[in-house]
Amino acid sequence: MPETATISTIPAEALEALRRIVGESSVLSAHEQVLVYECDGFVIEKNTPDCVVFPETTEHVVAIVKLCNEYKIPFVPRGAGTSLAGGCLPVGGGVMIALTRMRGIHDVNLRDHYAVVGPGTVNVHLTQHLKGTGFHYAPDPSSQGACTIGGNVATNSGGPHTLKYGVTVNHVLGAEVVLPDGEVVQFGGYTEDNPGFDLTGLFVGSEGTFGVCTKVIVRLTRDPVAYRTMLGVFETVEDATQAISGIIGAGIVPAALELMDQGIIEAVEPAFHFGFPLDAGAVLLIEVDGLEVAVDGEAEQIVALCEQNNAREVRKADSPQQRDLLWKCRKKAFGAIGRLSPSYCTQDGVVPRTKLPEILKFITEASARHDIRIVNVFHAGDGNIHPILLFDERDAEQIKRVLLASDEILNRCIELGGSVTGEHGIGVEKINFMNKLFTEADLETMESVRLAFNPTGLCSPQKMLPTAGACGMEHIEKSHPARRAAL
Amino acid sequence: MTTTESSDEFTPATTDEARDFLAENAAGAGRAIFPVGGRTALHYGYASTQPGIAFSTLRLNRTIDYPARDMTITVEAGIRMDELTEILKAEGQRLPIDVPQSSRATLGGVLATNTSGPRRFGFGTLRDYLIGISSIDATGKTFSAGGRVVKNVAGYDLCKLMIGSLGTLAVITQATLKVIPQPEASRILWCAAADWQAVETALENLLTSATRPVALEVLNANAAHEIAAEARLDLPADGPVLCIGFEGATRETEWETETMTAELQTAGIRDVAVVADAEPLWFALTDFATSSDEPLTFQANLRPSRLVEFAELATSAGVSLAAHAGNGIVIGHLPDTVTTLDAAVKILSPLQTLAHEADGNLVIFDCDETWKQTIPVFGQSRQDRALMQRIKQQLDPRDILNPGRVFTKNAVSAAQ
Ligand SMILES: Cc1cc2nc3c(=O)[nH]c(=O)nc-3n(C[C@H](O)[C@H](O)[C@H](O)COP(=O)(O)OP(=O)(O)OC[C@H]3O[C@@H](n4cnc5c(N)ncnc54)[C@H](O)[C@@H]3O)c2cc1C
Ligand SMILES: Cc1cc2nc3c(=O)[nH]c(=O)nc-3n(C[C@H](O)[C@H](O)[C@H](O)COP(=O)(O)OP(=O)(O)OC[C@H]3O[C@@H](n4cnc5c(N)ncnc54)[C@H](O)[C@@H]3O)c2cc1C
């Protein structure tokens, strides 16, 4: 993989100063140490940071950010590094601020239904911490066992339960943020409707370009009283997607509505032995939750709608163990893909729900056209698709075809009235789709908002906006070394 | 000079016309622009510091696209809320945002003021429903953000920025909303509490209720009287009142009202009544914010756990008060007897202090213009105010849109 030319190398005295701030052992700068941080879950592009620092307090972050400003060194926040869009790729090198040690659950207040957590808190740890209280933290990305809440805030993560409960932004009351100039501000707070602009809402999803989040106040949600979890088995993907339209069209909003196609079943079944029929075209994992008196009625309606759409059968999870196993299959589906292929690229696109059959047909055609195997597991209820393109990383020719097929699929999403990302973000991966989704004026406005936060462009340079930073358009090429190598 | 006194007014019929007008204004005279919709909330904020032109969105009221099966709708911002409700109702859908004076209020105004009501407890606020927006900035530049799909994280979420921006950043011309199905049934339980301690106990118990209310309103006796009268219902109201709303399948809401009635059999709660026709009561609860001629109306936001303490203090000062108790939002009207600034300040000061202690704030909706020289309309200044001003500066460098309305240069805010 070719290296990007680094814009900055850190002066020795700055490195010394960083060591004084966080302590000797909390700064990594040797090449073999920083190599681990050359990419995140998006492995197609790589660049090493000059150093990685591990702050433990907000004061540490402030001091690091001020130092970077003093020496004009770019810096990038990083959580668990599970981003699938290259969000924490250190374009231009510089200082990587790794927040994994700021993982305290500082406060849980059930009466006012919030919790205050450090940005490095692993998503699932909060849920585990809340077990037995009758409350939970609703956003549950499939990566929740690893990803951090700070990273979720930065990317506005979703998950299988988004359909009913919403994405991260719907559950964030406030955030403490170290702005790119080192000033600490509090957006939102412990209460709702604070006067002024909704900077919390604006910050969520800003992908690390508006500053470093050092504390998050999240909203807690009551646990549902009852669930009914079902598995609809369909001969074809087409039938499954028609059933989805039928369910949503009937005014039912399930807690989750996830599709797995035959390719994914082939990977998941040998891994977890749920008993998925290997010859089915697709299965739908459907969960309704709510009051005990309501869930059976909804479940019956769903079964009927699946049957109307040619379901071969609809199974109900008849024990908590079966439900857990079903969810495990869904959430660990990505992990199981290793059985199918040495490397894979998870795409993330969105279409209006009613356009699902069309986009899935297109994916099948693209797969054939480019001779790249594509399997599907996705948040069908939201129209959020995740085609997974299987390839061998050592074969440059295959990578080229993977990129072409991805581009075609995403372009088709735009044509169908959708977007090129439902939850993974733009990062560096999708930066050149931005001017297909938005006009120049749209991007200028976004840029001007970014300038209010990040006037020097030192914080997460060259991410998200094609006009980003002070560098103009030329960086698109610069930040796509792999793409250039492949094409 | 206030916006409503402005003699000059422009009402574009198309967004192109709107854009050209703003671009020409920016290039030439650079007069102040006051975006207006239904004009139901123009008194909110400080009076404009400059004369200018009212920019009415009332003719920008078309439905652009309504793919009902995708449960999204794209409409122009000048559409009246009642009309939007009717369009959605025809497809069995709704936007679950309670808007006072919905026959006059426009979607643009509702977005610009971040309007909400009782049902926000169950359904959230506009930021949970707005998925795409188009606006024209002070220089005449049209920009959009978001899109038409329910899940999308491409680019900065300028939808969130525009909600509650009070027309100071851009004129909203179009919005795409996520909508939800109409519920089969809608019910409200009304009950009287012996005292405020009983209210607090009931609210704490509600945290573990087997039911899932969509609204949790606390009214003091004054407000309860007004609301019951407005809804033409004969309901008990000689002390604090709890008003609990349920929506969903008929079977579900029946079970919930029964269960809640049983759960409410705690000390100090009595006269639990299921309101036969909930609709007029929903309206009265929603309109409470705007339904009075009282000298001053405020909204406080607090930690929900501090609400009863606040309500007790406000009640003892004669304030008529209704609260979205689950969200810690309190709306209060000062009594008629308050005719002077001094009298108003005397009541408000301790309430402001308590709101700040409860990590919130107290904002003035409406009062005599001259009082705003003394009472800070937007409450205690927040730490992120400088950043907000930088954003305003970026989007409206010449301060053309609603100048002084939020970022006023007068004595009060300078002191903030
Ligand atoms: C197997 C797998 C499944 C996944 N499933 C989902 C899913 O269901 N839904 C979903 O939305 N995503 C999913 N993702 C993507 C990813 O997990 C999310 O984007 C997640 O939110 C990233 O969190 P992180 O802590 O790993 O952040 P990182 O990858 O470390 O960083 C992501 C971005 O956030 C910024 N950032 C991180 N921390 C901070 C901070 N404290 N302050 C400011 N900026 C910060 C970084 O600069 C970067 O731009 C999945 C990824 C994998 C590998
Ligand atoms: C804090 C608050 C106070 C309220 N106080 C009252 C009250 O005292 N009396 C009452 O009747 N109702 C009040 N309401 C409720 C009122 O019904 C709603 O705010 C309503 O949504 C306003 O809609 P409108 O079309 O009448 O807006 P208008 O009153 O015309 O405008 C309200 C604000 O929104 C801006 N605006 C309007 N349209 C646009 C647009 N398209 N783009 C950008 N900015 C726009 C205006 O510049 C102005 O700042 C209040 C609401 C809130 C949130």
Side-chain angles (χ1 to χ4, degrees), chain B residues 54-120:
Chain B
F55 184 105
S56 168
T57 61
L58 284 184
R59 285 164 75 193
L60 304 176
N61 61 358
R62 281 164 290 241
T63 302
I64 304 295
D65 188 21
Y66 182 17
R69 280 174 72 81
D70 287 327
M71 309 226 313
T72 64
I73 187 166
T74 304
V75 287
E76 288 186 327
I79 194 167
R80 306 273 191 191
M81 290 310 288
D82 268 1
E83 199 186 326
L84 177 62
T85 303
E86 284 307 312
I87 293 168
L88 294 171
K89 205 169 170 181
E91 296 287 345
Q93 296 177 347
R94 67 166 166 167
L95 175 70
I97 303 293
D98 299 307
V99 175
Q101 295 178 288
S102 56
S103 58
R104 289 177 57 204
T106 61
L107 178 60
V110 168
L111 288 167
T113 53
N114 191 19
T115 295
S116 71
R119 276 173 278 208
R120 65 181 283 164

Side-chain angles (χ1 to χ4, degrees), chain A residues 39-42 75-89 96-100 102 118-123 140-144 146-160 162 167-168 176-178 203 206-216 258 330-335 344 346 348 379 384 386 421-425 427-428 459-460 463, chain B residues 151 153:
Chain A
C39 69
D40 48 26
F42 177 66
F75 55 96
V76 58
R78 187 185 206 264
T82 67
S83 163
L84 293 169
C88 36
L89 182 81
M96 179 174 275
I97 305 178
L99 294 142
T100 42
M102 293 179 67
T121 306
V122 172
N123 177 300
D140 62 339
S142 303
S143 53
Q144 72 182 144
C147 65
T148 67
I149 293 189
N152 297 163
V153 167
T155 56
N156 193 16
S157 277
T162 296
V167 287
T168 298
E176 178 188 86
V177 174
V178 177
F203 183 82
S206 60
E207 299 192 24
T209 63
F210 283 175
V212 185
C213 172
T214 46
K215 207 178 273 174
V216 193
E258 303 278 306
R330 167 60 187 92
K331 291 211 172 165
K332 303 226 155 144
F334 291 101
Y344 64 92
T346 307
D348 173 33
H379 314 306
N384 184 190
H386 287 318
T421 172
E423 55 183 23
H424 298 165
V428 294
C459 181
S460 291
K463 302 277 171 62
Chain B
K151 205 168 164 207
V153 291

